[in-house]
Amino acid sequence: METRWIDVNGDRLFTRIDGRGPPLLLLHGYPETSLTWLSTIAALRDAYTCIAPDLPGWGESTIAHRATLATFLADVAALIEQLDLGPVTVVGHDWGAAVAYGLAIHHSALVRRIVTVNFSPGGFQVWRGIHFGFFAIPLLPELAMWLWPAAIEHRLMKWWAAHYEAVAPEVRARYFEHARSRRSRRTTLASYRNLVYRALIGFPPLRMGPTGFRRSRPRMPWGVIWGMKDPIATPRVLESLEREFPDITVRRLADAGHFPQEEQPAGFATALRELI
């Protein structure tokens, strides 16, 4: 697998590239890095050129700007243009799915189709996302992250995954190693706080809730993969998404939680092939 540093907008994105064929851009979520796609890349590199960057400020990537969803979106759009990938199929999980959705709305010329994983632009059960509220509190999360490095990420992964043991131990170790870094802690808190604070004052980023008129339907094909044992993005959230966007194509993985690409890699790769 080739690894490459790509400079975009003053940030440096650590990017993994492997395979041959049409480009497939893979965007990770929190608290993962591009390592979350290792099994997916192994399954698809015979037919696709897989490009998996660490999002700015997470993993190995550096960030010179404030970490927000808008920053992630601008950097990934610049990455697509710099590598001359577009129009490209974008697959995103969690935060990466939010970026994929944002690209489809605001940079549609760069996107052929999107596949989002355990993500909806609205309809979430707010009480389940307690980490949003915790990260929005001033000072307390900083103190907790300083006293118990990576403990929050460890707890969240164990809670969100239906099969935590399916995530390779060496990969988990790398996630937590990155989570201990000051850069990663600052990125996590800044990105979540921006999301929460904007929503509280009525300016959700990228038209993603809390009211229906703020959400837009991407013009290109939109596929969805959903781990049905996700305790945050529950099946109820998926039902809400299907009501709002009845023409999306959904693949359900019955025995996966929030990380289906790692909990059920073979089933995930099959579902992804079908959607793209």
Side-chain angles (χ1 to χ4, degrees):
M1 184 180 297
E2 177 189 357
T3 58
R4 189 187 306 177
W5 291 95
I6 300 173
D7 295 319
V8 291
N9 301 323
D11 301 332
R12 301 193 73 206
L13 303 187
F14 180 80
T15 306
R16 304 174 192 276
I17 303 174
D18 198 8
R20 59 183 180 181
L24 185 65
L25 184 61
L26 303 166
L27 305 176
H28 69 86
Y30 170 79
E32 308 137 293
T33 70
S34 57
L35 288 169
T36 192
W37 302 115
L38 290 182
S39 295
T40 304
I41 292 172
L44 297 181
R45 62 186 171 198
D46 63 321
Y48 297 92
T49 300
C50 301
I51 302 101
D54 287 347
L55 291 178
W58 278 320
E60 302 281 355
S61 293
T62 65
I63 187 168
H65 306 87
R66 187 181 178 196
T68 67
L69 186 53
T71 298
F72 302 155
L73 179 60
D75 279 3
V76 174
L79 175 72
I80 294 172
E81 292 177 329
Q82 186 164 324
L83 295 180
D84 195 24
L85 303 178
V88 64
T89 296
V90 185
V91 181
H93 169 249
D94 190 79
W95 273 91
V99 175
Y101 176 88
L103 287 169
I105 300 300
H106 297 287
H107 298 274
S108 58
L110 299 177
V111 181
R112 183 184 305 278
R113 69 174 64 236
I114 63 171
V115 177
T116 56
V117 184
N118 284 64
F119 161 84
S120 172
F124 276 95
Q125 299 159 285
V126 177
W127 63 273
R128 290 182 179 271
I130 59 174
H131 60 296
F132 282 86
F134 177 72
F135 288 151
I137 299 171
L139 300 180
L140 181 59
E142 282 92 340
L143 180 62
M145 288 177 166
W146 179 69
L147 290 174
W148 302 287
I152 292 173
E153 286 77 10
H154 181 250
R155 295 271 183 183
L156 290 178
M157 282 203 76
K158 291 198 74 172
W159 172 28
W160 294 348
H163 296 284
Y164 177 74
E165 73 285 351
V167 183
E170 62 272 19
V171 171
R172 294 199 309 258
R174 292 292 298 278
Y175 292 160
F176 302 145
E177 176 187 343
H178 289 304
R180 293 184 186 99
S181 73
R182 182 181 180 188
R183 181 181 68 241
S184 179
R185 298 199 305 265
R186 292 180 64 181
T187 299
T188 297
L189 295 179
S191 56
Y192 274 99
R193 284 171 176 170
N194 179 261
L195 205 67
V196 172
Y197 296 165
R198 285 182 61 87
L200 289 176
I201 63 175
F203 293 99
L206 308 181
R207 306 173 188 167
M208 291 193 293
T211 56
F213 73 90
R214 294 184 182 274
R215 293 188 285 268
S216 300
R217 169 63 168 91
R219 293 194 292 270
M220 65 287 299
W222 181 2
V224 172
I225 300 177
W226 208 277
M228 299 300 287
K229 291 186 176 180
D230 190 334
I232 306 176
T234 65
R236 180 175 171 181
V237 178
L238 175 59
E239 292 170 5
S240 175
L241 179 67
E242 290 182 292
R243 284 194 300 270
E244 186 168 2
F245 303 105
D247 58 339
I248 60 175
T249 304
V250 179
R251 295 291 183 270
R252 293 168 171 81
L253 295 181
D255 198 32
H258 188 65
F259 311 98
Q261 69 275 18
E262 294 184 273
E263 296 178 58
Q264 286 196 347
F268 180 86
T270 299
L272 186 55
R273 281 185 184 271
E274 293 173 355
L275 291 173
I276 63 177

